[in-house]
Amino acid sequence: MASHSSRILLGQVVQSKLRDAAKVQITRLVLDEYVMQYFPNKSKVFAFDPKKVTKVGDIVLVKELEAKRTAFITHKIEKIIYSVGNVRDPITGRRCDSKSYWDEDERKKLFEKEPEEKTGLDETFAEKRSVYEDDRMKEPIMSLDRKDWKI
Amino acid sequence: MPMKGKFPLRRTLRYLERGNVYLRDTVKIVTINYNTLGETHKGARDFVFYNLPQLQYKNQNVQMQTFKNLTPSPFIRCFLNDGDEVLIDIDSKSNTSILEHVKKLLGKSEDILSAERKAREKKTNPANFGREFARECICQVPGQVPCPSVVPLPKN
């Protein structure tokens, strides 16, 4: 597939243990020559997502990076298309499920807090240099001053 | 032995080769959203059943995916190379009209197809000689006059 200049793929985010990447499952249709029918064929791709914009189950658009970040992370999250449980119909722009469009006012009465909507477009996937820039590492687990240690 | 399944004709090579929609090179992903129930989605369901294999057969490098029961209205959403999107509303349309619509919007026109066919013929045509073809000069063909740079031409 080296002939394609910018390779984009569509897939569903799947659980992964990686800290700054999302594992994306891509299904493509492959023709079975004997049965003469197209069957879905799954393949996995690791996409760079340092700010954890995607949730497990989201449908995302993934784009190939010019240079691989690591041996495994070869792509990056381009855009979140359908957020899981929070699908927005592209024709009308309203949130919906398979039966109807949601009434936003009614939902506000029923649910206090709705899940955050992230499209992934306004997030900057900036490269992080230091480990301590990470949100989780803002407060160290143990104080670094010797006098605070109670031995 | 009879063929098995619903409309087994679509599982023949002849049926697959009948597809006449060649998508443009910029189209990379085609997704079809439809529901498994509902009269307005019937055209979309038929399109996926009858025409999607033909479309995929003629466009092997395009990723085609279907999403079921996500939204109340059916649509086709295509993703192009530069990040552009094409949205086609297929609510209450028959599968033939959907296919025509896709062909008009994203399909290669007849002139582009014939130009491509000519370019392909030119390459495979053994009568053509040159740098971009299989043989650079007729001296490379066994049985012909050898290259004058290697063997000088006779004086007569």
Side-chain angles (χ1 to χ4, degrees), chain B residues 5 19 24-25 28 33 38 48 68-69 82 92 97 107 113-116 121 125 128-129 134 137 139 145:
Chain B
R24 292 197 205 146
D25 294 330
K28 296 288 176 202
N33 283 52
V48 169
K68 290 191 215 171
N69 301 321
D82 304 322
S92 307
S97 64
L113 283 173
S114 58
E116 282 186 354
E121 269 173 35
N125 192 350
N128 290 322
F129 289 91
C137 179
C139 64
V145 171

Side-chain angles (χ1 to χ4, degrees), chain A residues 43-99:
Chain A
S43 64
K44 308 274 166 63
V45 138
F46 288 103
F48 189 57
D49 176 22
K51 299 201 174 174
K52 290 282 176 195
V53 178
T54 56
K55 301 193 291 288
V56 172
D58 286 348
I59 309 287
V60 294
L61 202 68
V62 143
K63 190 170 176 175
E64 195 164 4
L65 292 166
E66 281 94 49
K68 283 199 255 190
R69 276 193 63 86
T70 70
F72 294 103
I73 302 174
T74 53
H75 292 69
K76 66 164 187 190
I77 303 281
E78 178 82 1
K79 190 176 164 193
I80 299 174
I81 300 184
Y82 307 118
S83 175
V84 67
N86 209 0
V87 171
R88 212 169 253 278
D89 182 19
I91 297 178
T92 54
R94 295 171 66 183
R95 293 202 294 163
C96 61
D97 58 42
S98 72
K99 298 260 162 67

Side-chain angles (χ1 to χ4, degrees), chain A residues 126-138:
Chain A
E127 207 185 301
K128 285 194 202 142
R129 288 271 161 215
S130 163
V131 166
Y132 294 103
E133 277 179 45
D134 192 319
D135 295 301
R136 265 175 267 168
M137 292 287 275
K138 254 180 201 157

Side-chain angles (χ1 to χ4, degrees), chain B residues 7-25:
Chain B
F7 200 72
L9 194 64
R10 47 184 191 109
R11 294 201 290 113
T12 56
L13 202 61
R14 195 204 257 181
Y15 181 85
L16 290 176
E17 283 179 351
R18 279 286 177 82
N20 55 2
V21 180
Y22 295 86
L23 297 171
R24 292 197 205 146
D25 294 330

Side-chain angles (χ1 to χ4, degrees), chain B residues 14-93:
Chain B
R14 195 204 257 181
Y15 181 85
L16 290 176
E17 283 179 351
R18 279 286 177 82
N20 55 2
V21 180
Y22 295 86
L23 297 171
R24 292 197 205 146
D25 294 330
T26 51
V27 178
K28 296 288 176 202
I29 304 165
V30 172
T31 57
I32 306 167
N33 283 52
Y34 64 99
N35 285 10
T36 46
L37 295 171
E39 264 310 303
T40 54
H41 297 252
K42 189 167 190 310
R45 264 178 268 137
D46 290 343
F47 178 77
V48 169
F49 188 77
Y50 294 110
N51 303 113
L52 192 64
Q54 288 178 322
L55 198 65
Q56 175 78 99
Y57 188 75
K58 293 294 177 178
N59 305 284
Q60 304 272 17
N61 293 330
V62 175
Q63 183 191 2
M64 303 209 178
Q65 198 160 354
T66 57
F67 291 107
K68 290 191 215 171
N69 301 321
L70 274 184
T71 65
S73 64
F75 55 88
I76 294 176
R77 200 171 179 185
C78 306
F79 297 92
L80 310 182
N81 223 354
D82 304 322
D84 299 325
E85 263 182 54
V86 175
L87 197 62
I88 307 171
D89 187 11
I90 54 177
D91 201 321
S92 307
K93 280 192 188 171

